[in-house]
Amino acid sequence: MSNPAPTPEHQPVLVVDYGAQYAQLIARRVREANVYSEIVPHTFTTEQILAKNPAAIILSGGPSSVYADGAPSVGSDLFEAGVPVLGICYGFQAMANALGGKVAQTGLREYGSTDATSTGVSRSLLAGLPEDQQVWMSHGDSVHEAPEGFDVLASTEGAPVAAFANEDKRLFGVQWHPEVKHSVYGQRVLENFLFNGAGLEPSWNTGNILEEQVARIRGQVGSGRAICGLSGGVDSAVAAALVQEAIGDQLTCVFVNHGLLREGEAEQVERDFVAATGAKLHVADERERFLSALKDVTDPETKRKIIGREFIRAFEAAEAAIMSEAADTGEPVRFLVQGTLYPDVVESGGGEGAANIKSHHNVGGLPEDLQFELVEPLRELFKDEVRAVGAQLGLPAEIVQRQPFPGPGLGIRIIGSVDEERLELLRKADAIARAELTNAGLDQEVWQMPVVLLADVRSVGVQGDGRTYGHPIVLRPVSSEDAMTADWSRLPYDLLARISNRITNEVDGVNRVVLDVTSKPPGTIEWE
């Protein structure tokens, strides 16, 4: 789905993606400032960028060196267009290089927390900020000379020019990453650019999302009919509720019970969502289809693609059933609604220059012969924005605040092949972990807590005075704001002990519980 056309009320701030996943985070931070943002690839020409009528432009970071063969570049004509520009990290260096500054490969790298010292000359970008601030760096090259006409605003030990500005031309840049929370005054820097440097007004919010998406959905679907798969998660529920807001009874929600759900989820979908929305719901019991297709499959990418393929096939079967029930309408089901989010697109290689970390059944796993036109009303939104839209649509907190759960379900939380016995084992362990987390009052503090079964691993244990040879269960509690980056949640030891004791005592076949303490990056949130 293409990006929405800008409206007079909110011209977009364009984030030019130079191949770093942080481009998505920059866009989110801009929206947090109540300014509308969109993302475009670095392959866009200046003409293409300006054709979108941007209110301002932000050049993102990226993994390249400006001197490397084939490295992305930015045309100097962009800076003559009169549009305010902020360069960040690689975008800062590319900007300096295009305008005649000097970018040097000194071999002195800066990664992580760094102290930046302001020169005190900034009228906008660093205005109102302390002289010394903690920033987050990730660079090898450094700007050593600012372009002619630019003032140096700050420096660090490894970056003589860590920030610069040409106030008259409204051109700015910083070497650090203001979009990450580790840069203490990062959001202030972005807001200073938006409001002081670019002169924008904070006039955009999630209410705009709701209005715009309703209009876009009506324009796309017209008098056609659509189906939407409900997984029980936040994304599909909000997508369905949003599309129903737009087209009403033209939407039929389909709940495919693929047998990869957690304990009690099937009942929750049928009860809570229908009660909240009054939506038409078609239930398809496809457990045998999925288990048969996944038999003896261990490769995670293959699993994801099989689940995506079978999901679509189940939908096609549901479409036939739905059409036979409503043959008198004469209008075929041509649209498939999906709850794809920004992070799904990025991690599936949807952003220009982004690595294909994993396929996602909402993005990368669809069959080539897909017979539906996709409607993806959440494709440009982050999770917090999705929750806000869901609340505006009247969905209950039990749905809106639910922890994220992957579309492929427990199929990707079993490391190894999937069968009913392993699924049941994992369901029991997962239910215990979720119950204890809820009882501890930590549901809202933990972004999500995948429970993983290492089905192809066994370890020796002692249970009931006898030797056992059981499976390990992995607890993966993580804290995050948007799934782009994450850290492991520091759960209380007594809570971890209760979860471990209950799982090893109550779940046959498990004799060990381990805790995953890896951040993202380098790890992903899900194991597969």
Side-chain angles (χ1 to χ4, degrees):
M1 185 172 63
S2 61
N3 285 331
T7 65
E9 290 77 18
H10 53 265
Q11 293 173 263
V13 170
L14 292 185
V15 178
V16 182
D17 180 2
Y18 283 98
Q21 290 189 44
Y22 284 136
Q24 310 293 329
L25 190 53
I26 295 169
R28 180 183 169 203
R29 298 299 184 218
V30 172
R31 293 185 188 187
E32 285 181 358
N34 296 120
V35 176
Y36 183 63
S37 62
E38 295 178 14
I39 297 170
V40 297
H42 65 76
T43 51
F44 263 36
T45 63
T46 296
E47 183 180 8
Q48 288 175 302
I49 291 173
L50 297 180
K52 296 182 76 66
N53 191 26
I57 298 166
I58 299 177
L59 310 178
S60 85
S64 302
S65 166
V66 294
Y67 296 119
D69 291 339
S73 61
V74 57
S76 59
D77 54 343
L78 181 67
F79 307 111
E80 301 299 327
V83 179
V85 180
L86 171 66
I88 293 175
C89 195
Y90 180 84
F92 169 63
Q93 295 172 7
M95 183 178 183
N97 191 53
L99 293 172
K102 182 179 179 182
V103 180
Q105 296 173 300
T106 63
L108 180 59
R109 301 180 177 185
E110 289 181 312
Y111 294 107
S113 183
T114 306
D115 292 325
T117 301
S118 171
T119 62
V121 302
S122 178
R123 301 200 308 269
S124 55
L125 193 65
L126 304 183
L129 302 185
E131 180 178 344
D132 296 310
Q133 59 176 295
Q134 189 179 81
V135 301
W136 190 260
M137 290 285 201
S138 181
H139 70 100
D141 299 348
S142 299
V143 177
H144 275 233
E145 293 181 11
E148 184 177 352
F150 281 72
D151 294 320
V152 177
L153 305 184
S155 62
T156 68
E157 183 178 351
V161 181
F164 61 38
N166 184 322
E167 299 277 0
D168 293 336
K169 291 188 174 182
R170 299 190 295 174
L171 303 177
F172 309 87
V174 292
Q175 180 60 68
W176 64 86
H177 287 274
E179 70 275 17
V180 303
K181 292 295 187 181
H182 302 293
S183 291
V184 177
Y185 295 96
Q187 187 66 13
R188 286 278 301 278
V189 171
L190 289 173
E191 291 178 1
N192 277 350
F193 166 68
L194 296 170
F195 306 140
N196 299 340
L200 306 182
E201 294 291 332
S203 58
W204 182 85
N205 54 49
T206 54
N208 302 127
I209 298 174
L210 186 56
E211 295 171 7
E212 291 165 4
Q213 288 297 336
V214 165
R216 289 173 65 189
I217 293 164
R218 287 173 179 165
Q220 180 183 5
V221 176
S223 61
R225 299 185 63 201
I227 58 176
C228 177
L230 290 176
S231 67
V234 178
D235 306 340
S236 65
V238 175
L242 185 52
V243 172
Q244 182 168 315
E245 179 79 8
I247 63 174
D249 286 345
Q250 292 167 242
L251 173 70
T252 300
C253 294
V254 177
F255 172 51
V256 175
N257 186 352
H258 49 34
L260 306 174
L261 297 170
R262 298 185 295 187
E263 189 174 281
E265 287 184 322
E267 294 79 7
Q268 183 187 54
V269 172
E270 296 187 49
R271 180 187 65 241
D272 294 348
F273 181 80
V274 174
T277 65
K280 293 189 294 184
L281 180 64
H282 177 93
V283 179
D285 188 344
E286 297 282 4
R287 286 173 288 184
E288 285 193 19
R289 174 201 291 266
F290 282 85
L291 282 177
S292 176
L294 290 169
K295 182 177 174 59
D296 298 328
V297 176
T298 59
D299 178 71
E301 281 297 290
T302 304
K303 279 198 228 176
R304 287 177 178 271
K305 290 177 180 178
I306 287 173
I307 293 169
R309 180 194 70 209
E310 295 304 321
F311 209 76
I312 293 299
R313 297 299 173 243
F315 263 85
E316 290 170 344
E319 178 197 19
I322 292 167
M323 288 306 300
S324 66
E325 293 171 3
D328 56 325
T329 67
E331 185 69 50
V333 177
R334 295 191 296 113
F335 299 93
L336 171 62
V337 180
Q338 290 203 131
T340 309
L341 305 190
Y342 250 153
D344 300 332
V345 176
V346 175
E347 293 200 345
S348 301
E352 184 72 24
N356 189 357
I357 297 172
K358 61 185 178 182
S359 68
H360 186 281
H361 90 274
N362 278 356
V363 182
L366 297 177
E368 293 181 2
D369 60 342
L370 178 69
Q371 298 181 25
F372 300 107
E373 181 179 337
L374 293 180
V375 179
E376 298 179 300
L378 311 179
R379 186 181 176 90
E380 293 146 5
L381 303 185
F382 296 100
K383 182 71 76 170
D384 59 331
E385 295 172 329
V386 171
R387 294 189 197 279
V389 170
Q392 289 176 327
L393 288 166
L395 293 176
E398 290 79 10
I399 292 177
V400 173
Q401 297 303 326
R402 185 184 177 200
Q403 290 186 2
F405 185 61
L410 298 181
I412 60 166
R413 290 185 177 175
I414 294 176
I415 309 304
S417 61
V418 178
D419 60 35
E420 185 55 45
E421 181 180 350
R422 290 176 170 183
L423 284 167
E424 188 58 29
L425 186 154
L426 182 53
R427 283 192 194 99
K428 290 178 179 178
D430 175 85
I432 290 170
R434 286 190 291 145
E436 291 296 339
L437 191 68
T438 299
N439 291 340
L442 296 177
D443 279 340
Q444 300 307 310
E445 294 185 28
V446 176
W447 169 266
Q448 68 184 107
M449 188 166 70
V451 177
V452 179
L453 170 65
L454 303 185
D456 289 344
V457 175
R458 288 182 179 270
S459 64
V460 175
V462 178
Q463 292 172 297
D465 296 325
R467 176 187 173 97
T468 61
Y469 199 48
H471 298 289
I473 284 286
V474 180
L475 302 180
R476 174 68 166 139
V478 295
S479 299
S480 180
E481 293 184 341
D482 46 39
M484 301 302 298
T485 59
D487 195 10
W488 66 281
S489 302
R490 273 64 168 177
L491 298 182
Y493 289 155
D494 59 346
L495 172 59
L496 292 171
R498 283 198 304 274
I499 294 173
S500 177
N501 289 339
R502 284 196 59 193
I503 289 176
T504 54
N505 287 338
E506 300 175 29
V507 183
D508 290 338
V510 175
N511 63 1
R512 194 178 298 271
V513 175
V514 299
L515 179 67
D516 183 345
V517 295
T518 312
S519 63
K520 176 188 177 182
T524 54
I525 292 177
E526 298 289 346
W527 271 48
E528 289 196 351

